[in-house]
Structures are given as structure tokens and as C-alpha cells.
Amino acid sequence: MHVNSPIASADPTQLMTRIRAWASELGFQRIGITGVDLDEDAAYLRDWLDKGLYGDMEWMARHGDLREKPDALRPGTLRVLSVRMDYATSTDADDWNAIADGERAYVARYARGRDYHKLMRNRLQKLADRMASEVGPFGHRVFVDSAPVMERALARNAGLGWIGKHTCLIDRDNGSWFFLGEIYTDLPLPLDSPATAHCGTCTRCIDVCPTQAITAPHRLDARRCIAYLTIEHEGPIPEELRAQIGNRVFGCDDCQLICPWNKFAKIAAEPDFKVRNGLDQASLADLFAWTEEEFLQRTEGSAIRRLGHERWLRNIAVGLGNAPTSPVVVSALHSRRGHASELVREHVEWALGRHIEPAIEPQT
């Protein structure tokens, strides 16, 4: 160890024991330590990008070197502290029931409460400050979806779980309902052992995907993924995929809901992740009636807000098109038929076409 290292006079193992305790106090359920070698994962990512499977997410194709090399993104980085924070607030049965109820709107679990980015970033910075108070100033940078970081690969290498066939991280003792965050640091902390995979021959996540977006184990075609189409995609949702989207208006959880390892998942204790605005029970028609002002007010501090009112209405129009025909559904769609946005109008017309019976020619 270099004599000028902040922990040159400290026992790295004892320091990590204290760091784990501090992380737990801050609400993180797990923390692990890994190095910066991501060569194998970087090659897989480049192949995925070369095949154009990222859709409109141009940011995925940018800053490749920074994503692949943590020490290029934050010079001097030797270790990555990877943390997990649980967010599940409902049972699998509750969510399957919501998906099966065509009149209700399904919002992905992670987005029903307060946006996790700021909360986790603040907690990670507090953890870094606590470390600095113990060892003195040290080089570091905190990340929560805020830079080109291969967070799942790093978390796997840090022992937090393996990357499942649906591309989400799975912890064999806690399932997959959790957020990830990182601290890049120049502290030479002791490494944890990488997690090993335990999917075996199971293909439930591949089989259940409504749009067949998981084209092979560990291979996701974002252009077909409901989470991508309802959150990242800015234009019209491809008409051939609209019926399969069902009532999923923001994200999709099917591949995680079906995963047998999630029988071990625990309900999150973090108050900020509790459901707001009744998003676990809301009807499509009620959400479709939100004005832009109401949308901005009700989604303040939520991940949904970055979608914008226009795409919110686009998504719900698709849900209404897939809902059972009723006066409430048809009336809701008619209320937006003259909307200023061509994007909204086009999806409303498609949805109405799913409910209006074609004229029957009189018999001669």
C-alpha cells in the first residue's frame, strides 16, 4: 500500500466492517466492493450496441470508454462500492391482479413512490462523508444512474447478485426488486467475491414477456421492451406492439414478477418509496383525465414526471384501447380526441377504433 494512501495506517478489513455498518444505518440493504475490470462485459455491450438493440437511446452508444473503464470516468479509481436499496411495496399477487384488470392502469413498482435518484445519491454522499471522517480526504465520486456506469456488472462483481436472463440483477436471498448505486474510490479496499448465476434452465422471464423483447438469455431488444416504449421512446408506439402492452402505462414488471427468486423478496421499509396518488389502484380513465397542471403537481418528485404529460396521455390511450369496452372508456377517449398533440390524437384514434363496432351492411 502506498504510504500516502488515506488508509495506510488503517486496517482495510476493519474499515470495511465499519463501512458496511454505516451503509446499513443509511438504509442500504447490501454493499459490496469490486475492482475496475469490465472487459468481458464491455465486449458484450459493444455487440449489443452494434446490433442496434438500444432503440432511440443514443446515450447508450456515447462515452463507451468511460462506461467500460471506471478509472477513465473517475481518474484514479481503484475500487467501486456497489450498494443495493430495496423498493418493493406490493405483493406479486397484487400486481398480477392489477395487470389482469383491464380498467386499471399498471405503473411499474419502482415509479409509484418518490424518485430514488436524489434520495440514494444523498445517502451515498453521506456514506462517503462518513468514510472521509474516518480516513481523511480521499478521491471518490457518487453515481445513481447519473453517468455511463455499468452498474449491474459492477454489482455482480461486488457480490450483490447475478445478472438474470432478463438482464436484471438477482440476489438469491432477496430477489430483484432493488435499486443500485455506486461510489468510485481510490481507496484500496479489500475485494468481495463475484456472485455466481443461479437461473439454471429456467426461462420463465423469456416466456412471459408480452412483446417477446427478451430474444435470448441475457439479450434484450429494447425496441420491443414495454419499459423502453412507455418511458424512453419519444415517438409513436409501434402499432403492432400496442395490443401486447395491455394496461402497462409506465414500465413493465412481468419478467420480475414471474421470477421464482422473487419469492424471497422483502417489502421495502423506506417511507419515500411508498405509493403516492393511488398509483397501485388507479383506473386508466381517471389518470387520463389529469390536466397537464395536475400531472405536474401529482408527479412532483416522481420518476414519472420526466415523461411529460403528452407521452403520459399517449401511454394511457394505448391502455384504454386495450381495456374492455364501456361507456367510461369510450367517453374518456373522446375527451382527448381534439388534443393539441398529434401524437396523442393518433393514439386516441387507434384506441377508439378498438371499441367502435364497424357498421353492418343491411341484408338485401
Side-chain angles (χ1 to χ4, degrees):
M1 187 181 300
H2 195 281
V3 293
N4 292 326
S5 169
I7 60 171
S9 60
D11 183 314
T13 302
Q14 291 182 2
L15 176 59
M16 266 314 305
T17 298
R18 290 195 288 274
I19 291 173
R20 293 184 199 280
W22 300 332
S24 178
E25 291 170 6
L26 288 167
F28 298 114
Q29 279 70 48
R30 282 282 302 278
I31 184 170
I33 310 297
T34 185
V36 297
D37 181 8
L38 292 170
D39 288 348
E40 185 175 340
D41 295 279
Y44 193 87
L45 175 62
R46 286 195 295 272
D47 179 67
W48 184 77
L49 292 169
D50 289 343
K51 288 180 169 59
L53 300 178
Y54 57 93
D56 296 333
M57 296 183 290
E58 297 295 338
W59 50 269
M60 289 292 298
R62 294 196 299 268
H63 310 303
D65 289 344
L66 300 182
R67 194 181 303 276
E68 299 168 12
K69 301 182 182 300
D71 51 343
L73 179 58
R74 197 274 161 200
T77 296
L78 296 175
R79 299 287 187 266
V80 177
L81 285 76
S82 181
V83 299
R84 182 193 106 213
M85 184 174 282
D86 297 348
Y87 68 80
T89 56
S90 57
T91 68
D92 293 351
D94 287 340
D95 286 344
W96 281 127
N97 288 336
I99 292 168
D101 186 344
E103 295 181 350
R104 287 168 61 183
Y106 189 81
V107 173
R109 283 185 181 182
Y110 87 90
R112 296 175 194 166
R114 185 171 292 279
D115 189 357
Y116 65 96
H117 292 86
K118 185 176 180 180
L119 180 148
M120 286 189 67
R121 194 177 300 117
N122 288 342
R123 303 270 182 96
L124 278 172
Q125 189 57 55
K126 287 181 179 179
L127 178 59
D129 293 344
R130 187 74 182 267
M131 292 165 61
S133 70
E134 181 79 10
V135 303
F138 68 99
H140 70 278
R141 186 174 171 186
V142 167
F143 300 103
V144 181
D145 285 347
S146 54
V149 174
M150 298 182 70
E151 61 177 9
R152 283 168 292 183
L154 290 166
R156 178 205 59 216
N157 293 350
L160 269 61
W162 73 94
I163 300 174
K165 293 176 183 178
H166 50 15
T167 74
C168 299
L169 201 75
I170 305 172
D171 179 347
R172 65 183 301 166
D173 297 319
N174 295 278
S176 62
W177 303 107
F178 51 80
F179 301 122
L180 296 171
E182 300 79 34
I183 301 177
Y184 283 20
T185 178
D186 59 3
L187 297 178
L189 297 165
L191 298 172
D192 287 308
S193 299
T196 54
H198 298 280
C199 286
T201 59
C202 179
T203 59
R204 294 185 197 183
C205 59
I206 297 174
D207 300 335
V208 80
C209 180
T211 55
Q212 293 81 56
I214 308 171
T215 58
H218 310 105
R219 178 68 63 162
L220 179 71
D221 186 343
R223 298 167 299 181
R224 300 185 64 85
C225 177
I226 294 174
Y228 164 77
L229 291 170
T230 59
I231 300 174
E232 302 294 343
H233 183 56
E234 295 186 357
I237 292 174
E239 192 165 336
E240 67 273 16
L241 297 177
R242 293 178 191 178
Q244 294 97 302
I245 289 175
N247 61 349
R248 301 166 185 85
V249 302
F250 191 90
C252 179
D253 289 329
D254 290 38
C255 63
Q256 295 189 81
L257 288 170
I258 202 69
C259 179
W261 289 104
N262 271 323
K263 65 185 176 184
F264 300 115
K266 300 173 180 62
I267 296 297
E270 176 54 54
D272 273 2
F273 297 156
K274 292 188 181 301
V275 179
R276 305 198 303 174
N277 294 304
L279 288 176
D280 57 341
Q281 300 289 333
S283 73
L284 290 161
D286 286 345
L287 297 183
F288 203 54
W290 285 4
T291 64
E292 184 168 15
E293 183 181 3
E294 286 176 305
F295 172 82
L296 293 173
Q297 178 186 356
R298 292 171 184 258
T299 61
E300 186 175 0
S302 163
I304 296 173
R305 193 175 199 187
R306 73 184 182 92
L307 190 67
H309 190 237
E310 181 186 32
R311 287 192 289 154
W312 175 247
L313 294 179
R314 175 201 65 181
N315 295 349
I316 301 173
V318 171
L320 288 166
N322 294 323
T325 301
S326 72
V328 170
V329 167
V330 174
S331 175
L333 287 166
H334 273 289
S335 73
R336 298 291 188 185
R337 204 169 190 179
H339 194 275
S341 165
E342 181 181 352
L343 182 69
V344 174
R345 293 197 308 272
E346 189 270 313
H347 287 75
V348 166
E349 290 303 319
W350 172 86
L352 280 169
R354 305 262 291 173
H355 295 288
I356 298 173
E357 293 290 337
I360 300 175
E361 293 293 332
Q363 294 183 350
T364 57

